Amino acid sequence: AAVVQALLAALLFGISAPISKLLLGDIEPIPLAAFLYLGSGIGLAIFQVIRRGKRSEEGEASLKRSDLGWLAGAVIAGGVVAPIILMFGLQHTPGATASLLLNFEGVATTLLAALIFKEAVSRRAWLAIIFITGASILLSVTLGEEWGISLGAVGVLAACIFWGFDNNFTRNISAKDPVSIVMIKGIAAGFFSLCLALILGNQFPDWMAVLKAMLLGSLSYGLSITLFIRAMRGLGAARTSALFGTAPLAGVALSFILLKESGGIMFLIALPLMVIGAVLLVYEEHDHSHVHESLLHEHLHQHDDGHHQHVHEEIQSPKAHSHEHQHNQQEHTHHHMPDIHHRHMHGSED
């Protein structure tokens, strides 16, 4: 299920590029970014209001005060700092170079996950990341355009690193309600971009263009990132980001239809590379004896997964539900990924 969620998130995000390109005829870049983010946040806020009456035992775990630090870090790193650095970087970086360097986000996420957040990344997963990132690079290469490395290019790489931190910060609260997380991130980032657009004197678009942008944002940002966070629960940040790296494939495919653009030879080379990378992750096997330390936490769960055998006093046959629960220490062997229950250390990865 987590793999499907990651691929669907990539599909929804991938289609945003060609549709946004159509909207750029009516909206300037910074206001467009603002309304895409606001659309994601406001759309999910409406969804929250609709489902509020049903948030009982089957509801997602709510954000707690202890989660706010990670959430604030994600908003600041991914919604504020990264876009600012990217804008300044783009001013001094050729378009072809920038498109190429933006593929570094997935690599940055994986490196930070492995080196700083101690997430287990197997050799097979690294190979898949290389295939998918390589394919993304091929799709972003535009022959004949101006190329060059400058201080601006360093800025683009720095923006990718901050988005990598954003992804890893979000992973640490991925057990909590993803709708609330994305709603807060969307409204905060959108409000910031909108204020920036007003300060820079960007022209305000007509309301029909605003509604189109917000509708696109609710799907390609709101729903997409919600699925991305849910996928991180089961796959971890590195593998989810790798699968999310297939997003350009969906963008190129839709460009064929909407913009009558041809991907050419690069698309034909990138397609099998992405498929190979995705298959490597889908069929990855990771099985060894591991110890679960005693843990108290809260998240949506069921009692048929081998990790949730606690007893309820009031609920006789609980389905998916959320409450604070205790995991006792245990040692066992089974196939697993670096999900919210398997973030243990590894000596060496195969």
Side-chain angles (χ1 to χ4, degrees):
V3 170
V4 174
Q5 290 169 345
L7 290 173
L8 184 55
L11 174 64
L12 288 170
F13 185 75
I15 65 176
S16 68
I19 298 178
S20 295
K21 190 170 182 179
L22 292 175
L23 291 174
L24 280 172
D26 302 315
I27 310 178
E28 294 182 68
I30 297 178
L32 176 58
F35 291 119
L36 287 172
Y37 277 116
L38 286 173
S40 70
I42 294 173
L44 290 175
I46 295 172
F47 176 75
Q48 282 280 55
V49 172
I50 294 174
R51 75 168 186 173
R52 180 170 294 176
K54 300 180 180 180
R55 292 191 64 182
S56 56
E57 65 178 18
E58 297 186 4
E60 290 274 4
S62 300
L63 289 165
K64 299 286 184 66
R65 182 176 297 179
S66 58
D67 301 318
L68 297 183
W70 294 116
L71 180 59
V75 171
I76 294 170
V80 177
V81 178
I84 291 177
I85 294 176
L86 180 64
M87 277 191 299
F88 282 106
L90 290 177
Q91 288 181 337
H92 306 285
T93 307
T97 303
S99 296
L100 183 68
L101 295 176
L102 283 171
N103 293 294
F104 184 66
E105 180 185 344
V107 178
T109 299
T110 302
L111 289 173
L112 291 170
L115 299 178
I116 296 180
F117 296 92
K118 306 304 179 183
E119 182 174 305
V121 183
S122 67
R123 293 188 182 95
R124 184 187 181 99
W126 276 114
L127 185 60
I129 291 164
I130 290 171
F131 272 112
I132 293 173
T133 303
S136 298
I137 289 172
L138 288 174
L139 288 175
S140 65
V141 169
T142 304
L143 300 177
E145 286 195 8
E146 180 187 356
W147 292 80
I149 300 298
S150 63
L151 186 61
V154 176
V156 175
L157 289 174
C160 290
I161 292 173
F162 277 102
W163 274 314
F165 274 109
D166 173 14
N167 292 334
N168 281 283
F169 290 156
T170 303
R171 186 208 71 157
N172 286 331
I173 53 174
S174 61
K176 301 303 176 69
D177 183 10
V179 173
S180 296
I181 295 171
V182 182
M183 178 185 70
I184 294 171
K185 290 177 69 175
I187 292 176
F191 181 74
F192 171 81
S193 295
L194 185 60
C195 290
L196 183 62
L198 294 174
I199 292 171
L200 295 176
N202 291 151
Q203 184 176 358
F204 195 89
D206 65 72
W207 286 106
M208 184 56 66
V210 170
L211 290 175
K212 290 179 181 178
M214 293 182 70
L215 178 60
L216 176 61
S218 67
L219 295 174
S220 291
Y221 285 64
L223 180 55
S224 174
I225 301 175
T226 299
L227 290 169
F228 181 88
I229 293 174
R230 289 185 65 89
M232 281 200 291
R233 293 178 178 177
L235 297 175
R239 290 163 180 82
T240 305
S241 293
L243 289 170
F244 196 74
T246 62
L249 195 64
V252 172
L254 190 61
S255 294
F256 293 166
I257 301 171
L258 294 181
L259 306 175
K260 309 301 180 183
E261 294 180 351
S262 173
I265 188 64
M266 293 299 186
F267 176 79
L268 297 177
I269 298 173
L271 177 59
L273 291 178
M274 282 198 172
V275 171
I276 292 171
V279 169
L280 284 172
L281 290 175
V282 169
Y283 292 101
E284 181 184 8
E285 292 290 335
H286 183 76
D287 187 342
H288 65 91
S289 179
H290 55 278
V291 176
H292 292 267
E293 301 294 340
S294 179
L295 175 66
L296 178 67
H297 67 170
E298 181 180 358
H299 63 94
L300 191 69
H301 64 278
Q302 291 181 280
H303 287 200
D304 57 358
D305 61 359
H307 291 94
H308 299 89
Q309 305 300 324
H310 51 266
V311 178
H312 293 267
E313 295 182 358
E314 300 178 356
I315 306 173
Q316 299 300 320
S317 301
K319 298 180 180 179
H321 59 288
S322 174
H323 63 89
E324 192 172 73
H325 55 278
Q326 177 77 41
H327 291 273
N328 296 322
Q329 181 172 314
Q330 64 171 319
E331 181 176 358
H332 59 181
T333 301
H334 66 95
H335 171 64
H336 63 278
M337 287 288 107
D339 57 31
I340 58 176
H341 295 102
H342 297 91
R343 291 177 178 167
H344 48 263
M345 297 293 292
H346 290 69
S348 62
E349 289 296 319
D350 298 321

